[in-house]
Amino acid sequence: MTNRWGNAAGLRRSWRARIAAAGAAGALAVLATGAGAGAATHGAAGRHHAAHGHKATGKPIVVGYVNDDTGAVGAFPETTAGTEAAVKYVNAHLDGIHNRPIELIACSDDATPAQASSCATRVLQHNPVAILGGVDFATTASIPLFQKAGVPYIGGLAFTGPENTDPTSFQWNSITANFSVMPFYGVRHLHAKRISILYPSGVGTDLSLAQLMAGVAESLGLKKSDVTLVSYDATSPDMTAPIEAANKTNPSMIIGITSGPQCVTLAQARQELGVKATLFLPGGCFGKQLNAQAGAAYNGVYGGQATAVPGSPQLANKPAMKLFYKILREYSAKTISSPLISFAFFGYGDVVNFRNVLLKLNPAKITSKAIIAAFRHTVNQSNVLGPSFSCARPPIKQVRALCT
């Protein structure tokens, strides 16, 4: 399909080149959809679906998207790969949204405020009805522009920015929310009376997460003196000293802000020291490889994750996970071997969840206001990423954009 921004294939090639060059103005792409290039299918699965007439051919629904595909802070092109693969699949095989294809206006960010603001401005020039969030460390520079324009910010991997508090933001996979749920669950369900929170030193976002979790615990009745924040060296191979420091106040619960092999070393240190406090780790700590490395050290350890994690053995045979891998094989096969494949799953899930909510709307009246109203009234909405979510009554006042 050729749209008002030119040939789709040419734009995609140009965009990839600009990502590699990390141009100062940001890389903007139009993912063409519908009857032409964007709806092209590949392989047996594509031919099967096309033969049954599930390709969306109506007026496109323009949706913006901003993601940190490059940058010194972190680069997550896998999120974009998962998002784009899902959009192509939905448009080619699932009739889009009431026969209206999603037209994704994607802008590649580098995690800097200047580029985030530039991306927001450029995306808004195409009058999107919503913004699908990616991984963005500079949302303080972009979300205020979306809010001013009255365009909702939906999904993504939210950190500690305005995506957690903006009244027109809706998050079910918020990093902040996932961590906030840990003290919430600990106090409400495990009856924790004293909590220690371990966070890596030198990382501002992690300190902010620790402070937010402390605030959640205090809002639930714990005193300020009942919550201890303990920093640790993220490069240290031995987590004995941090666990000892966290245990000094005799907490009933220790929360670790960590990832990768460090999850295992924290659990092993707790086991070796005979610490009785419940250890709570992020859900990303429980993939197949880390589970095998931890062994008995993970006994009694809780995981705080509201979403599925590709590679987790308990999810390998789930239909949603099988479909995810099928879509990646069809549209972005190289992403399957990426160690950051979880980010592709988040992007894929956001597209599917977004579509499911919009299917409830009148296809001729899909506007930003209608989308905001629909999300504000969601209750027990199906969630391909994990448990169903509700946006109608956010449970944590510090994270009012949380749908859970």
Side-chain angles (χ1 to χ4, degrees):
M1 169 182 174
T2 300
N3 54 46
R4 63 182 182 275
W5 301 285
N7 178 269
L11 279 168
R12 297 300 299 142
R13 287 194 293 271
S14 174
W15 178 58
R16 289 297 181 194
R18 286 197 295 272
I19 287 178
L28 186 72
V30 179
L31 181 59
T33 57
T41 57
H42 307 279
R47 288 193 298 271
H48 170 77
H49 286 285
H52 285 76
H54 292 300
K55 182 169 62 179
T57 58
K59 181 181 179 181
I61 297 171
V62 180
V63 176
Y65 171 78
V66 177
N67 185 66
D68 292 346
D69 288 313
T70 62
V73 176
F76 305 92
E78 292 83 0
T79 312
T80 297
T83 300
E84 293 183 340
V87 167
K88 291 176 181 178
Y89 182 82
V90 164
N91 290 339
H93 303 329
L94 300 181
D95 196 37
I97 299 171
H98 296 302
N99 195 40
R100 296 184 63 183
I102 299 171
E103 185 167 346
L104 194 71
I105 309 297
C107 192
S108 177
D109 196 358
D110 66 357
T112 63
Q115 191 132 317
S117 176
S118 174
C119 270
T121 300
R122 298 180 71 189
V123 166
L124 287 171
Q125 289 173 352
H126 300 295
N127 300 313
V129 294
I131 305 296
L132 284 178
V135 180
D136 190 353
F137 287 99
T139 52
T140 52
S142 59
I143 287 185
L145 299 179
F146 298 139
Q147 183 183 16
K148 184 178 180 181
V151 179
Y153 187 87
I154 297 169
L157 203 64
F159 291 92
T160 56
E163 63 269 34
N164 294 291
T165 56
D166 187 276
T168 57
S169 174
F170 303 93
Q171 302 295 323
W172 47 80
N173 188 41
S174 165
I175 291 291
T176 302
N178 280 336
F179 278 96
S180 297
V181 167
M182 295 184 189
F184 184 87
Y185 186 88
V187 175
R188 283 286 180 86
H189 299 282
L190 302 181
H191 310 293
K193 302 298 182 185
R194 193 173 288 111
I195 297 174
S196 288
I197 303 172
L198 287 164
Y199 69 95
S201 58
V203 183
T205 53
D206 287 335
L207 173 58
S208 297
L209 281 175
Q211 292 170 334
L212 176 63
M213 286 192 285
V216 171
E218 291 164 24
S219 73
L220 295 171
L222 268 61
K223 298 178 182 177
K224 195 175 186 67
S225 58
D226 292 329
V227 184
T228 303
L229 272 56
V230 179
S231 66
Y232 67 91
D233 181 359
T235 64
S236 175
D238 185 2
M239 291 291 105
T240 301
I243 289 291
E244 286 180 329
N247 198 46
K248 279 185 178 179
T249 57
N250 193 30
S252 11
M253 178 179 179
I254 297 174
I255 299 174
I257 300 177
T258 186
S259 62
Q262 212 161 58
C263 302
V264 177
T265 54
L266 276 173
Q268 290 172 336
R270 169 181 173 267
Q271 182 187 48
E272 292 167 4
L273 292 169
V275 171
K276 302 300 182 184
T278 298
L279 179 61
F280 224 126
L281 297 175
C285 290
F286 299 94
K288 185 176 181 180
Q289 184 176 358
L290 294 178
N291 283 341
Q293 292 173 0
Y298 269 0
N299 288 346
V301 176
Y302 281 73
Q305 179 77 16
T307 57
V309 180
S312 298
Q314 66 270 34
L315 299 172
N317 294 318
K318 296 291 185 181
M321 197 62 71
K322 288 183 176 180
L323 178 59
F324 164 66
Y325 279 106
K326 174 183 176 181
I327 291 172
L328 276 191
R329 281 193 296 271
E330 186 170 352
Y331 295 109
S332 185
K334 66 180 181 180
T335 305
I336 293 176
S337 60
S338 170
L340 297 180
I341 189 174
S342 291
F343 290 90
F345 189 68
F346 298 145
Y348 153 80
D350 284 348
V351 172
V352 175
N353 288 344
F354 175 71
R355 173 182 180 269
N356 286 342
V357 172
L358 265 62
L359 284 174
K360 301 176 181 179
L361 299 178
N362 182 330
K365 298 181 179 180
I366 295 178
T367 64
S368 294
K369 288 184 178 180
I371 293 171
I372 291 170
F375 273 93
R376 279 184 178 160
H377 290 88
T378 54
V379 177
N380 294 326
Q381 175 65 40
S382 62
N383 178 10
V384 71
L385 294 167
S388 61
F389 63 85
S390 301
C391 303
R393 294 176 294 276
I396 302 173
K397 64 179 181 180
Q398 291 92 337
V399 193
R400 62 180 177 177
L402 172 62
C403 302
T404 186

